[in-house]
Amino acid sequence: MFTSINPATGVEVATYEELDRVELERRLMLAACAFKSWRISPMAERQVLLSRIADNFEANKHRLAEMATMEMGKTYLSAVGEAEKCATAFRYYAQHGAELLQSTITKLPNGKTAETVWLPLGAILAIMPWNFPYWQVARFIAPTIMAGNVGLLKHAPNVQGCAALIEEMVLAAGAPTGVFQNLPIQLSTVPDLIADDRVTAVTLTGSERAGRAVGAQAGEVLKKVVLELGGSDPFIVMPSANLDEAVSQAVRARIQNTGQSCICGKRMIVHADIYDEFLERFVLAMKAVKAGDPMSTDTDMGPLSSYAQRDLVLTQIEKAKQEGARLLVGGEALDRKGAYLSAGVLVDLPIDSSLRQEEIFGPVAMVFKANDIDEAIRIANDVPYGLGSSVWTNDLAEQERFIREIEAGMTAFNQILVSMPEVSFGGIKRSGHGRELGSLGLHEFMNAKTVLHSY
């Protein structure tokens, strides 16, 4: 049994039944059967299905948003935006998927030709997190369906209502039986599912610990896996930056989704020449952040996803303070019902502080001073993660250095990093491997088959 608890009120939202072994077996059989026909379905049929799914997300965005807000606490307006964003992913692959899947021809020295053909693999298992309960899944479903694969979703326990609605959107669009299925199962069932011959590959978005476990399980049975794990992204501000914009977007980065986003800047690394001014403005702006009812349109951020998540962040803050860091503002539990935490700013973290090597999954920023570009890059890379990065500089020579030397899968200049259907998404180091979205995400779970022609 799964139970959803509204983190803004602590009140139970709903309960959901788990699949028993018999029903799980039936659904695996459906997936295997569906793949036999879906793998050879016309591209036009896949495109139509994706377009209809996009229509459903747009038509039901308010209903979808209300469920996400109730189950994990994101603001209603941001949840509406998330549903709308999902539609863009389905439309992108509907419009461009066929072109991206075209085979390529290579002329060989012997006068003959070779061809690379993209072929689907089978049933792909997706293990998805709660922080973006629709978008994380949409960026899996859209390329999966377009590729001719079929999808199996194991969603986070606290967003089972969102998972059920996703399945409803897909089925209502006319998806053939078994092309996409939601599996309300416990984590303990996942190893057997990965080992099942009817599951051909696995994708996971989640914690480093979950990535290690799923990666090892997939490795045991030699199955392809894509891992999108945590991040402690640097947000670097250099003297040539527009300081007003940098401060504004730094706040947005830390409070977006109540700080529960893998790719938003968590470590603000500011050049010494502008450090004091940046810090003064940043602290004032973070102090002004309004945490409150996520259904209200004038709320900046809602609660964290659970009391446990809030308490974890509070524990990290307290440990950092004990190690010598200073908490300049916020970072405190609010005196009200719900898993609320005020936006906070930590400075002066000692070089050996454990928090420097961790991800804060909440609305608390760490701010560091860098004396020059070399130190900024060193601080940026001095973490085990390598997901994204945001760099604020108008100096082209500096931009070239940051592109080459920041250890991350993604870098955005003079803007916060966002995911979008058109470009690939993923990291390096302990942030995982493989890519989602764009052409690379479409090709991840496909057989790039080489064909040597006789002509």
Side-chain angles (χ1 to χ4, degrees):
M1 182 76 72
F2 296 99
T3 302
S4 293
I5 304 293
N6 187 332
T9 63
V11 175
E12 180 180 305
V13 175
T15 59
Y16 301 89
E17 293 290 335
E18 298 175 34
L19 295 185
D20 59 26
R21 289 286 178 174
V22 174
E23 178 60 16
L24 180 57
E25 172 63 21
R26 187 185 76 85
R27 297 195 185 192
L28 286 171
M29 291 176 64
L30 282 176
C33 183
F35 177 62
K36 292 179 181 178
S37 56
W38 191 246
R39 67 181 300 173
I40 57 174
S41 61
M43 290 289 178
E45 181 179 351
R46 303 176 196 177
Q47 292 170 312
V48 168
L49 176 57
L50 289 175
S51 294
R52 288 175 177 170
I53 297 172
D55 291 342
N56 286 345
F57 268 85
E58 289 175 338
N60 292 276
K61 62 185 179 183
H62 296 292
R63 182 172 163 227
L64 291 160
E66 185 175 357
M67 180 63 76
T69 299
M70 287 193 300
E71 287 200 314
M72 56 73 59
K74 69 170 60 217
T75 63
Y76 179 74
L77 289 179
S78 67
V80 170
E82 182 175 340
E84 292 172 335
K85 187 174 182 177
C86 290
T88 68
F90 292 113
R91 293 203 192 286
Y92 173 76
Y93 286 106
Q95 295 168 3
H96 302 284
E99 176 186 353
L100 296 173
L101 291 176
Q102 287 182 352
S103 60
T104 56
I105 301 293
T106 302
K107 197 72 174 177
L108 301 177
N110 61 7
K112 297 180 181 180
T113 58
E115 184 179 14
T116 301
V117 181
W118 296 103
L119 301 174
L121 293 179
I124 315 300
L125 171 64
I127 304 166
M128 293 287 114
W130 46 260
N131 59 331
F132 291 94
Y134 301 125
W135 173 242
Q136 298 281 174
V137 180
R139 66 196 210 190
F140 150 70
I141 301 174
T144 293
I145 288 176
M146 192 65 226
N149 291 317
V150 300
L152 298 167
L153 171 65
K154 187 268 180 239
H155 218 324
N158 60 326
V159 290
Q160 289 300 306
C162 293
L165 284 178
I166 293 169
E167 185 176 50
E168 180 185 324
M169 297 301 107
V170 177
L171 295 179
T177 301
V179 166
F180 173 75
Q181 298 177 84
N182 174 42
L183 306 180
I185 57 174
Q186 296 287 356
L187 194 60
S188 58
T189 307
V190 168
D192 289 342
L193 205 53
I194 293 174
D196 194 290
D197 288 341
R198 291 164 293 188
V199 173
T200 57
V202 187
T203 180
L204 174 137
T205 298
S207 67
E208 181 185 339
R209 182 177 65 177
R212 288 179 184 274
V214 168
Q217 292 156 11
E220 282 290 323
V221 287
L222 299 177
K223 292 183 180 177
K224 177 72 178 289
V225 62
V226 167
L227 301 174
E228 196 274 277
L229 309 179
S232 187
D233 287 6
F235 186 104
I236 302 172
V237 187
M238 301 297 286
S240 65
N242 180 323
L243 199 56
D244 290 337
E245 186 69 10
V247 170
S248 172
Q249 294 304 303
V251 174
R252 181 185 171 197
R254 275 327 293 134
I255 71 169
Q256 182 186 35
N257 211 35
T258 318
Q260 300 165 127
S261 172
C262 297
I263 60 167
C264 280
K266 299 180 176 72
R267 296 176 299 129
M268 312 305 167
I269 304 168
V270 186
H271 193 281
D273 290 352
I274 55 172
Y275 177 85
D276 290 340
E277 185 177 0
F278 175 92
L279 185 60
E280 181 181 1
R281 295 191 192 184
F282 184 56
V283 168
L284 287 174
M286 289 288 275
K287 188 176 182 179
V289 170
K290 181 181 179 181
D293 180 4
M295 292 298 294
S296 174
T297 56
D298 67 347
T299 293
D300 295 320
M301 65 179 188
L304 275 79
S305 64
S306 66
Y307 285 98
Q309 182 60 35
R310 183 196 66 182
D311 292 346
L312 173 59
V313 176
L314 287 171
T315 299
Q316 289 178 299
I317 293 170
E318 187 57 35
K319 186 176 181 181
K321 288 165 63 179
Q322 291 173 2
E323 294 171 340
R326 290 189 298 134
L327 182 64
L328 297 185
V329 67
E332 299 174 336
L334 300 188
D335 185 18
R336 60 176 295 171
K337 183 180 292 185
Y340 289 94
L341 183 72
S342 56
V345 178
L346 283 165
V347 297
D348 298 340
L349 282 87
I351 193 68
D352 58 350
S353 172
S354 59
L355 192 57
R356 292 179 72 123
Q357 301 298 309
E358 297 174 4
E359 175 182 27
I360 301 181
F361 219 55
V364 179
M366 295 178 277
V367 184
F368 302 89
K369 180 189 292 186
N371 289 311
D372 52 32
I373 188 172
D374 294 319
E375 187 172 15
I377 292 171
R378 180 187 61 76
I379 296 172
N381 292 339
D382 188 27
V383 291
Y385 303 104
L387 188 55
S389 51
S390 177
V391 181
W392 296 76
T393 176
N394 289 301
D395 185 313
L396 296 181
E398 288 181 348
Q399 289 187 9
E400 284 300 319
R401 281 203 62 188
F402 285 121
I403 291 170
R404 294 194 310 270
E405 297 182 37
I406 288 183
E407 297 168 354
M410 301 168 283
T411 296
F413 287 108
N414 300 319
Q415 59 190 302
I416 63 172
L417 187 64
V418 295
S419 56
M420 58 190 76
E422 296 84 359
V423 296
S424 63
F425 181 97
I428 59 173
K429 299 163 72 172
R430 293 188 192 174
S431 290
H433 53 73
R435 292 294 183 267
E436 299 176 302
L437 299 172
S439 62
L440 297 181
L442 179 60
H443 293 151
E444 278 285 5
F445 296 118
M446 302 195 76
N447 174 14
K449 189 172 189 178
T450 298
V451 180
L452 300 179
H453 290 289
S454 58
Y455 51 84

